[in-house]
Amino acid sequence: AQTVTQSQPEMSVQEAETVTLSCTYDTSENNYYLFWYKQPPSRQMILVIRQEAYKQQNATENRFSVNFQKAAKSFSLKISDSQLGDTAMYFCAFRYNFNKFYFGSGTKLNVKP
Amino acid sequence: EAQVTQNPRYLITVTGKKLTVTCSQNMNHEYMSWYRQDPGLGLRQIYYSMNVEVTDKGDVPEGYKVSRKEKRNFPLILESPSPNQTSLYFCASSRGGEWTEAFFGQGTRLTVV
């Protein structure tokens, strides 16, 4: 069975600072894909970043980057220069087969002015 | 505009009264899914579909039905809703290929009293 664990239910960060959200997963699969989704108060699910497991290079998207450690099954999200608009729930997700997505329980991030 | 459209966005109903939540996508995606989101549990997959007339159970299918008669539509049916089905529901679609992300609808907040 595939599981995704986000051990930080809630985090806070000051505007302009850097924050890291943790995610670990458990799988016996070798080829899979990892995603971070953002859910602002509007409830819309927005893709932040994705990582292919076969790629060693960590993905980056502007202020968002990941630290992917395949052996440790860890996939953390780093947000640099945090902005008020980054306040949201963040979900880590894992996909390995067709349409099977597994999501973590989420981390609620609060960016303080 | 590429989108996944769910209706209604909010619904309050009584126990046992059949209801349908509609989902439509205009991206010609093969794969569509339904999820429910509950506090502390993240998103859990209810059903998914790999193409027209091809559906399969996700992790929490009890009490739900789906159908996929057309590629663009994937309705979720609750034949006899119960209070434990009170939740936030998301429809999602994606193209074939494990590296592609899921595109989500706006969510349906369902309350069963």
Side-chain angles (χ1 to χ4, degrees):
Chain A
Q2 331 298 322
T3 58
V4 179
T5 303
Q6 292 180 250
S7 58
Q8 305 150 315
E10 196 161 350
M11 297 185 73
S12 293
V13 64
Q14 290 296 133
E15 195 175 7
E17 292 187 347
T18 295
V19 63
T20 299
L21 280 58
S22 301
C23 173
T24 59
Y25 56 93
D26 188 21
T27 183
S28 57
E29 301 292 328
N30 192 46
N31 294 320
Y32 51 87
Y33 300 82
L34 296 159
F35 306 87
W36 277 98
Y37 280 89
K38 169 185 177 181
Q39 186 182 49
S42 66
R43 299 187 333 210
Q44 184 67 42
M45 293 286 284
I46 302 165
L47 178 70
V48 174
I49 199 165
R50 67 181 178 200
Q51 172 81 42
E52 293 88 343
Y54 63 86
K55 286 188 177 179
Q56 292 187 340
Q57 185 174 5
N58 289 324
T60 62
E61 287 287 342
N62 301 313
R63 296 183 295 108
F64 299 89
S65 61
V66 298
N67 183 5
F68 174 50
Q69 303 287 330
K70 190 172 184 179
K73 296 179 182 175
S74 171
F75 182 59
S76 60
L77 174 70
K78 185 170 85 171
I79 306 174
S80 304
D81 186 26
S82 297
Q83 300 176 359
L84 296 178
D86 296 333
T87 292
M89 182 76 83
Y90 288 81
F91 291 100
C92 177
F94 168 94
R95 180 183 190 184
Y96 80 97
N97 184 28
F98 297 113
N99 205 27
K100 294 290 287 183
F101 277 86
Y102 295 89
F103 287 83
S105 54
T107 295
K108 186 176 182 181
L109 178 66
N110 183 28
V111 180
K112 298 179 178 179
Chain B
E1 181 189 354
Q3 58 185 5
V4 178
T5 304
Q6 286 179 236
N7 280 297
R9 293 204 63 187
Y10 299 89
L11 179 59
I12 301 174
T13 190
V14 296
T15 299
K17 186 178 181 181
K18 181 179 179 180
L19 67 91
T20 299
V21 184
T22 63
C23 175
S24 181
Q25 51 95 3
N26 62 1
M27 295 169 279
N28 201 36
H29 285 168
E30 293 87 357
Y31 300 130
M32 297 186 75
S33 291
W34 276 102
Y35 298 85
R36 60 177 290 171
Q37 180 181 348
D38 301 290
L41 297 176
L43 280 77
R44 294 177 293 167
Q45 194 171 52
I46 302 171
Y47 269 95
Y48 63 97
S49 169
M50 291 181 281
N51 216 322
V52 176
E53 302 291 2
V54 181
T55 63
D56 204 351
K57 296 177 181 178
D59 297 312
V60 288
E62 295 77 19
Y64 304 95
K65 283 178 59 176
V66 293
S67 68
R68 186 100 181 267
K69 293 183 169 51
E70 302 168 285
K71 196 172 186 179
R72 62 184 293 126
N73 295 324
F74 190 46
L76 179 69
I77 302 158
L78 284 73
E79 298 243 339
S80 183
S82 62
N84 65 12
Q85 292 178 299
T86 292
S87 187
L88 177 60
Y89 291 87
F90 284 98
C91 178
S93 73
S94 59
R95 285 185 286 127
E98 295 170 347
W99 56 273
T100 58
E101 72 269 26
F103 293 83
F104 286 84
Q106 312 96 308
T108 296
R109 171 71 69 186
L110 173 65
T111 302
V112 184
V113 298

